[in-house]
Amino acid sequence: MSYEENVRKVTPYTPGEQPTGKVIKLNTNESPYPPAPEVYKALEGLNIEELRKYPDPVCMELVSALASYYGLDEDEVFVGVGSDDVLSMCFLTFFNGKDPILFPDITYSFYDVWAEVYDIPYKTIPLKEDFSIDPSDYRNEKNGGIVIANPNAPTGVIEDLTVIEDIISHNPDVCVIIDEAYVDFGGVTALPLLKKYENVIVVRTMSKSRSLAGMRIGYAFGNKKAIKYLNDVKFSVNSYTMNMPSLKAGAAAIRDDAYFRETVSKIIATREWTKEQLKDLGFTFRDSATNFIFASHEGVLLGESREELARRIFETLKSRNIFVRYFEKPRIDGYLRISIGTDEEMRIFIETLKEIIMR
Ligand SMILES: *Cc1c(COP(=O)(O)O)cnc(C)c1O
């Protein structure tokens, strides 16, 4: 027998590339804009001497800023090291049943990884042909919990709150997690449902709409009892997940609401411009409520299949230092996921794309 028999073997999540040097980076849905001026002030004013102490284990400065911004009580808010940490804690806390947890076949590709690493049985529910959810698929399916990203990634598709509520109301005995990583770009939030249902957790991040991917700040909203359960698990794994600079930067980002609104609306305007350009080039996509567009090109005129063309565009763009995301997976291998950059970046991207398509 070897020690390896007792090793937990997992296939990890593959994050998008983080190339160095001067590139146009449209592959991991980061904001193209710097963090808010208030965040600069907070970090420049850090008292380094304070770092000798442990950070506040209950993260009150950040929790309290979030609670007052979203009109909740402090004990209805949980924070973590990016929403990946928050979601992982949610899986560990709420998904302990024997029945499989459910999520769509095309969604954030970390869900199945957490299910695997925590030994949680899971079952994927196919999205419809147009990448939307049929809520009736979640009505009579015995399960141990549900995770829905709304708007969804990598499709960018948004579901009405009626669909989300249908899923929550038909599954009162399990926890339903709504991952709202992209909600600030045009989604509808399930936040109002917290008052109506006790089995909902809403998860958010500062990585995309608040330009803080490098700081690692995520958060969740839920009823007091559910948040207590989450904190109990967190304090059983690591009491100090959030470091002092993140707590300060996160609170500062929330304070600077004007900057947040300004950058989000710039990204939305650039997205709408990019959609028009992509349409003119013959790309098709579902309307996007996010900071990315998930697009496909029929390729017939070029004598290539959708998949061949998507792959060729991805590779050619990369050779010209423009990074987008390509997923080699069933149903979506004919698509490119293009994050929205600055106007200038998108102009260069579209020009380059034109050359590739018209070769
Ligand atoms: C980006 C993303 C996350 C994770 O973001 P963090 O950087 O860990 O906060 C979670 N869910 C979805 C759907 C995402 O796209």
Side-chain angles (χ1 to χ4, degrees):
M1 173 168 163
S2 135
Y3 80 93
E4 288 184 73
E5 279 180 50
N6 295 327
V7 168
R8 185 184 292 272
K9 298 180 193 76
V10 286
T11 311
Y13 172 77
T14 319
E17 282 176 84
Q18 292 293 351
T20 51
K22 208 176 145 15
V23 302
I24 294 183
K25 197 170 172 306
L26 310 175
N27 69 334
T28 52
N29 300 340
E30 291 141 335
S31 172
Y33 300 110
E38 283 290 319
V39 172
Y40 278 74
K41 263 197 251 165
L43 291 179
E44 282 159 8
L46 275 188
N47 182 358
I48 310 279
E49 193 269 337
E50 284 279 299
L51 289 177
R52 73 187 170 74
K53 295 193 292 186
Y54 282 106
D56 172 17
V58 298
C59 308
M60 199 37 80
E61 182 174 359
L62 179 57
V63 164
S64 154
L66 287 164
S68 69
Y69 186 81
Y70 290 103
L72 297 167
D73 288 338
E74 285 160 354
D75 46 12
E76 294 170 314
V77 180
F78 176 81
V79 295
V81 188
S83 58
D84 285 342
D85 176 47
V86 173
L87 286 160
S88 146
M89 285 287 148
C90 287
F91 273 55
L92 202 51
T93 307
F94 300 113
F95 297 158
N96 293 288
K98 294 207 169 36
D99 295 316
I101 62 164
L102 311 177
F103 45 85
D105 62 337
I106 304 167
T107 190
Y108 188 37
S109 48
F110 226 134
Y111 301 154
D112 55 347
V113 175
W114 288 313
E116 297 276 352
V117 75
Y118 295 137
D119 272 327
I120 301 165
Y122 67 95
K123 179 177 169 182
T124 57
I125 307 288
L127 292 175
K128 291 195 283 193
E129 210 44 50
D130 66 355
F131 295 150
S132 66
I133 290 176
D134 181 347
S136 70
D137 290 342
Y138 294 82
R139 284 186 198 146
N140 301 302
E141 186 78 42
K142 209 162 172 315
N143 69 78
I146 298 172
V147 195
I148 304 285
N150 190 38
N152 197 12
T155 63
V157 172
I158 182 183
E159 295 293 347
D160 278 349
L161 208 51
T162 50
V163 171
I164 301 299
E165 182 162 8
D166 192 292
I167 295 173
I168 294 166
S169 65
H170 283 89
N171 292 277
D173 301 332
V174 300
C175 187
V176 181
I177 295 171
I178 311 296
D179 181 350
E180 296 188 347
Y182 300 101
V183 73
D184 295 325
F185 300 104
V188 282
T189 180
L191 206 49
L193 301 181
L194 284 188
K195 299 265 177 284
K196 210 166 156 191
Y197 302 93
E198 61 164 22
N199 60 324
V200 196
I201 300 284
V202 173
V203 178
R204 299 271 186 96
T205 177
M206 293 204 188
S207 296
K208 279 87 187 215
S209 57
R210 292 187 190 268
S211 306
L212 282 174
M215 208 70 212
R216 313 305 300 128
I217 303 171
Y219 48 105
F221 307 126
N223 71 68
K224 297 178 201 314
K225 217 169 164 188
I227 295 301
K228 166 87 165 58
Y229 283 132
L230 264 175
N231 272 309
D232 287 349
V233 169
K234 170 199 136 163
F235 281 104
S236 309
V237 175
N238 177 0
S239 308
Y240 306 106
T241 53
M242 304 287 288
N243 62 55
M244 184 268 271
S246 316
L247 296 176
K248 300 244 177 258
I254 294 294
R255 275 200 303 279
D256 210 331
D257 199 42
Y259 182 83
F260 164 69
R261 287 173 193 273
E262 180 196 325
T263 46
V264 165
S265 42
K266 275 204 284 195
I267 292 165
I268 292 173
T270 310
R271 176 187 75 203
E272 296 309 307
W273 178 85
T274 309
K275 279 185 192 166
E276 290 309 310
Q277 303 298 311
L278 286 173
K279 246 182 239 163
D280 289 349
L281 288 176
F283 281 88
T284 52
F285 42 87
R286 282 288 314 272
D287 197 20
S288 164
T290 59
N291 66 339
F292 59 84
I293 300 169
F294 195 56
S296 174
H297 195 291
E298 216 173 336
V300 278
L301 289 173
L302 304 143
E304 289 165 298
S305 69
R306 258 177 211 280
E307 295 73 24
E308 284 163 347
L309 179 57
R311 179 164 261 291
R312 180 168 69 84
I313 295 173
F314 168 74
E315 296 291 352
T316 315
L317 283 171
K318 190 161 149 175
S319 71
R320 301 197 193 175
N321 283 329
I322 300 176
F323 288 72
V324 298
R325 193 89 191 260
Y326 176 69
F327 298 93
E328 196 125 46
K329 288 188 178 173
R331 291 188 76 187
I332 56 169
D333 53 1
Y335 287 79
L336 296 169
R337 193 194 67 189
I338 305 143
S339 309
I340 302 302
T342 60
D343 284 339
E344 178 63 2
E345 286 174 326
M346 298 320 279
R347 194 187 56 72
I348 298 170
F349 163 73
I350 292 290
E351 285 312 312
T352 314
L353 200 52
K354 261 182 206 159
E355 289 170 29
I356 298 171
I357 299 267
M358 313 291 184
R359 63 160 188 183

